[in-house]
Amino acid sequence: IAGITQAPTSQILAAGRRMTLRCTQDMRHNAMYWYRQDLGLGLRLIHYSNTAGTTGKGEVPDGYSVSRANTDDFPLTLASAVPSQTSVYFCASSDPLRTEAFFGQGTRLTVV
Amino acid sequence: SQKIEQNSEALNIQEGKTATLTCNYTNYSPAYLQWYRQDPGRGPVFLLLIRENEKEKRKERLKVTFDTTLKQSLFHITASQPADSATYLCALVRGRNAGNMLTFGGGTRLMVKP
């Protein structure tokens, strides 16, 4: 693994189903983020974590939850997916001084 | 409310010219500002960072300015090339007291024509 890895790359999900998007980094960064990107709305922060064991809400947290059990992993869970959660999801991490954020390749999620 | 605004319209320029992209923000006191490049189907890639006490930063053909009075950053690409065509995003970090959250503007798409 080099950098940030997200899985799956894409997914079609039935409304009402539960889904966890995975994110793993090997850079030992303390801070991690989840964003969604929608046409015309740019990148919007869903949840973040400044260090293992802590999480915080971003701009659009409703319908999503995260956990940070260790430094490397930051999964995003949709408890009951709705069509408005159709989007491209990006996970990112940054070093302690926040001088640069590294992004995964994204997960394209379609809720039908 | 807090806003980070970039021109949502695409910027079309001729190869060899200087491209200038704008990032304006309101109701923020950022510790620093970053610029990223995003290609279709890919995640953003970091380009440059400028701190609140810096006026200008350069890296090869890239130049960033930061005016905290105007609450504006300008991003310049000199001698532009078709390979520079991409979407460029600005991002603000508000500092430790605000949780160090990285917040993005909507991005501006740059098209460099040969």
Side-chain angles (χ1 to χ4, degrees), chain B residues 9-104:
Chain B
E9 294 184 11
L11 177 62
N12 294 290
I13 65 168
Q14 202 67 35
E15 181 177 9
K17 299 294 185 182
T18 296
T20 298
L21 286 70
T22 303
C23 176
N24 294 297
Y25 60 93
T26 57
N27 296 324
Y28 273 102
S29 294
Y32 47 86
L33 184 146
Q34 303 177 359
W35 283 89
Y36 289 77
R37 169 182 172 142
Q38 187 175 23
D39 292 288
R42 309 292 292 274
V45 174
F46 173 82
L47 295 174
L48 277 171
L49 172 148
I50 187 164
R51 301 182 190 281
E52 59 181 336
N53 59 351
E54 297 175 318
K55 296 293 185 184
E56 181 178 299
K57 184 72 72 73
R58 292 176 184 263
K59 179 182 176 181
E60 298 173 350
R61 294 185 295 113
L62 309 180
K63 185 179 83 170
V64 173
T65 63
F66 194 13
D67 189 326
T68 54
T69 300
L70 292 178
K71 296 188 182 296
Q72 181 182 78
S73 175
L74 299 178
F75 177 79
H76 306 273
I77 305 176
T78 59
S80 60
Q81 305 166 0
D84 295 326
S85 298
T87 296
Y88 292 86
L89 306 164
C90 71
L92 301 182
V93 178
R94 284 181 282 169
R96 295 184 184 280
N97 291 335
N100 274 326
M101 286 193 292
L102 189 61
T103 306
F104 284 83

Side-chain angles (χ1 to χ4, degrees), chain A residues 84-103:
Chain A
S84 62
Q85 292 178 310
T86 293
S87 187
V88 180
Y89 291 85
F90 287 101
C91 179
S93 72
S94 64
D95 64 25
L97 295 179
R98 306 297 193 275
T99 57
E100 177 178 353
F102 295 82
F103 283 80

Side-chain angles (χ1 to χ4, degrees), chain A residues 58-109:
Chain A
E59 181 185 0
V60 288
D62 294 343
Y64 305 95
S65 63
V66 292
S67 61
R68 188 86 184 277
N70 57 62
T71 297
D72 297 344
D73 301 301
F74 191 42
L76 176 74
T77 297
L78 288 68
S80 179
V82 295
S84 62
Q85 292 178 310
T86 293
S87 187
V88 180
Y89 291 85
F90 287 101
C91 179
S93 72
S94 64
D95 64 25
L97 295 179
R98 306 297 193 275
T99 57
E100 177 178 353
F102 295 82
F103 283 80
Q105 79 278 19
T107 294
R108 182 174 296 274
L109 179 67

